[in-house]
Amino acid sequence: MTETVPTAAPVPTAADEVIRICQELIRFDTSNYGDNEGPGERAAAEYVMELLHEVGLQPELFESSPGRASVVVRLEGQDRSRPALVLHGHLDVVPAAKDDWSVDPFGAEVTDGPTGSLIWGRGAVDMKDMDAMILAVVRQMVREGRRPARDVVVAFFADEEAGGVYGARWAVDHRPDLFEGATEAISEVGGYSVEVGGKRAYLLQTAEKGIAWLRLIADGRAGHGSQVNEENAVTELAAAVARIGQHAWPTTITPTVDALLRGVGDLTGLPVDYEDPATIDALVAALGPVAKFVGATVRNTSNPTQLASGYKANVIPGRAEATVDVRLLPGHEEAGMATLRELAGPRVRIEPIHLDTALEVPFGGSLVDAMVAAIDAEDPGATVLPYTLSGGTDNKSLHRLGITGYGFAPLQLTNDLDFAGMFHGVDERVPTEALKFGTRVLDRLLATC
């Protein structure tokens, strides 16, 4: 009698796991309200720990404040003499108003559409999709006994959506040892595809604007609402807010934006003439939905977002405050702040709430070459272009350690999906095939970086 030997179950690949991991991450409500209140990232961080422990890794979980948890693990590379790479994501998400969504924002529902399956939920775009790809790829590499080309520090941070004070910035300030020997980093908001001139291009983020969340304060003379008052704080503040909000910042083409627009010109045949505003508008518009991001990177921006003053209709308050979200281009931060002080006027002072530097790095070097090659291997002939992010990432915090950061969360997207418009938007969703594509690109990148 022949004995039947049981067949070993196949080892799951990153593509097999990434959809499940993305769904499970989305189901953790890690909403970040910006005031250290809310559910925190602890439960999601513990789930990440379980996935890493399961394949034999020894990650470290740490909290900067109760519930504000981050996870870091170092993968040993084939060549440990080379500087390490940081591969990082964040576990928090911006809040979601359930009534505004067509699905449960934390349900991680999967639907089928004409162009394939989609995972819906807060974080599907920003950035639990990338978190899932990182986890799936790392688990596959460890299971298969493969090492990345060099040491890779894998990090999942808390609090990115509020500037990283309880996440990446805290880790940089209190645990710089975790990033010892690292010189480069890869994170979100880059590496995804867009259609330009009928051709597919991938945008690799090599720059991001600086963040200046500012408080405007006007002090005046309190009094009765029926009296003449030439020191009305509300009047002074309102005038300053209007000047700042309506200011027409001049067009300023930085090196990264220049490289992007010239690349768009090559793909479309459109002329590149920075003396002609209509030409710039046409080049930006050729990027389709991503024009929303890129259009905000040809100049500084300043948007009033909050107002507060007074406590009764017939009482003139002695103080009025406003909040302004300012994003300044690399190399133009000092001049931008000077302009804001001038616009605010002598009777309105400016206090910083949160400041973070603008970043810009060259579109070149061995890491960039490896990212471009990884895309080309999965999508031969596609173009990779650099671009500037109008927002910010945790690369700003790592920059404090001299680490050069890029945005590269590779996704091959369908043309009908307004991917850029879903960052912090309603009904976030990501194609399941895009996640599988991303795992293949990331796997190849870690093997060659």
Side-chain angles (χ1 to χ4, degrees):
M1 182 175 180
T2 304
E3 183 177 349
T4 302
V5 179
T7 303
V11 177
T13 66
D16 295 329
E17 292 193 318
V18 67
I19 296 169
R20 171 183 61 83
I21 293 173
C22 185
Q23 287 181 283
E24 292 178 354
L25 284 170
I26 289 171
R27 290 177 182 138
F28 292 102
D29 181 355
T30 53
S31 298
N32 187 341
Y33 295 91
D35 55 5
N36 203 26
E37 297 296 328
E41 298 87 356
R42 177 81 195 206
E46 290 176 348
Y47 170 72
V48 170
M49 292 286 285
E50 290 175 9
L51 292 180
L52 297 174
H53 278 305
E54 189 176 80
V55 294
L57 294 172
Q58 298 300 316
E60 179 177 348
L61 182 151
F62 55 88
E63 288 188 332
S64 56
S65 182
R68 312 308 304 274
S70 299
V71 177
V72 177
V73 66
R74 182 179 287 252
L75 307 179
E76 290 190 2
Q78 298 176 42
D79 185 352
R80 304 207 68 195
S81 68
R82 295 178 57 205
L85 172 72
V86 182
L87 179 61
H88 62 103
H90 61 84
L91 296 174
D92 62 322
V93 296
V94 296
K98 187 174 183 179
D99 291 345
D100 294 338
W101 286 58
S102 60
V103 297
D104 178 357
F106 298 103
E109 179 181 335
V110 176
T111 64
D112 292 324
T115 55
S117 298
L118 297 158
I119 303 176
W120 297 63
R122 178 57 90 211
V125 168
D126 185 12
M127 66 170 295
K128 291 179 177 178
D129 55 342
M130 177 63 165
D131 293 336
M133 291 191 293
I134 294 171
L135 285 163
V137 168
V138 167
R139 282 163 60 86
Q140 176 178 294
M141 292 188 75
V142 175
R143 283 195 187 105
E144 295 176 352
R146 293 186 290 121
R147 290 186 177 187
R150 51 172 158 156
D151 277 16
V152 175
V153 179
V154 180
F156 300 90
F157 292 122
D159 198 40
E160 190 275 345
E161 297 294 1
V165 174
Y166 293 96
R169 179 171 287 197
W170 189 93
V172 164
D173 290 345
H174 296 85
R175 295 297 310 277
D177 56 294
L178 294 171
F179 312 101
E180 184 179 354
T183 58
E184 295 172 308
I186 292 173
S187 188
E188 59 177 328
V189 205
Y192 57 90
S193 70
V194 297
E195 185 176 293
V196 182
K199 306 175 185 71
R200 189 155 50 231
Y202 292 83
L203 301 185
L204 198 166
Q205 190 227 115
T206 58
E208 54 187 67
K209 295 175 84 173
I211 297 174
W213 296 334
L214 306 175
R215 182 176 291 111
L216 308 183
I217 303 170
D219 293 313
R221 175 167 55 84
H224 198 289
S226 68
Q227 302 297 306
V228 174
N229 190 323
E230 296 178 352
E231 299 175 56
N232 188 314
V234 175
T235 302
E236 291 291 341
L237 181 73
V241 167
R243 287 192 297 269
I244 290 173
Q246 296 170 358
H247 180 63
W249 292 93
T251 299
T252 304
I253 305 298
T254 59
T256 298
V257 174
D258 175 53
L260 171 63
L261 297 184
R262 291 188 185 279
V264 171
D266 290 341
L267 291 171
T268 61
L270 291 169
V272 179
D273 180 2
Y274 298 141
E275 299 301 318
D276 181 4
T279 297
I280 298 173
D281 291 343
L283 290 166
V284 171
L287 287 159
V290 183
K292 299 172 184 176
F293 272 171
V294 175
T297 63
V298 300
R299 59 180 55 84
N300 295 325
T301 59
S302 53
N303 285 304
T305 54
Q306 294 176 300
L307 290 168
S309 66
Y311 56 89
K312 198 170 185 293
N314 63 347
V315 177
I316 299 171
R319 181 184 177 101
E321 298 184 3
T323 303
V324 183
D325 186 345
V326 179
R327 306 298 173 117
L328 301 171
L329 291 166
H332 299 269
E333 293 164 284
E334 186 175 338
M337 288 301 297
T339 298
L340 289 166
R341 287 190 291 270
E342 182 179 344
L343 292 169
R347 298 177 68 177
V348 174
R349 67 183 186 276
I350 298 177
E351 292 182 355
I353 299 171
H354 178 83
L355 300 176
D356 233 330
T357 187
L359 303 175
E360 186 162 34
V361 297
F363 181 56
S366 60
L367 179 58
V368 170
D369 291 344
M371 289 188 276
V372 172
I375 288 286
D376 187 65
E378 294 297 329
D379 191 0
T383 300
V384 179
L385 298 173
Y387 91 110
T388 300
L389 178 64
S390 58
T393 72
D394 279 332
N395 280 329
K396 293 183 183 301
S397 293
L398 294 174
H399 177 74
R400 294 152 65 94
L401 295 176
I403 296 172
T404 299
Y406 297 88
F408 188 72
L411 297 168
Q412 187 182 92
L413 301 170
T414 54
N415 299 331
D416 62 331
L417 194 67
D418 182 4
F419 188 73
M422 289 186 288
F423 280 85
H424 297 191
V426 173
D427 285 347
E428 275 184 73
R429 55 201 183 276
V430 64
T432 56
E433 289 302 313
L435 293 176
K436 295 177 182 179
F437 172 88
T439 63
R440 296 193 298 271
V441 174
L442 279 179
D443 187 283
R444 188 179 299 274
L445 175 62
L446 294 185
T448 58
C449 66

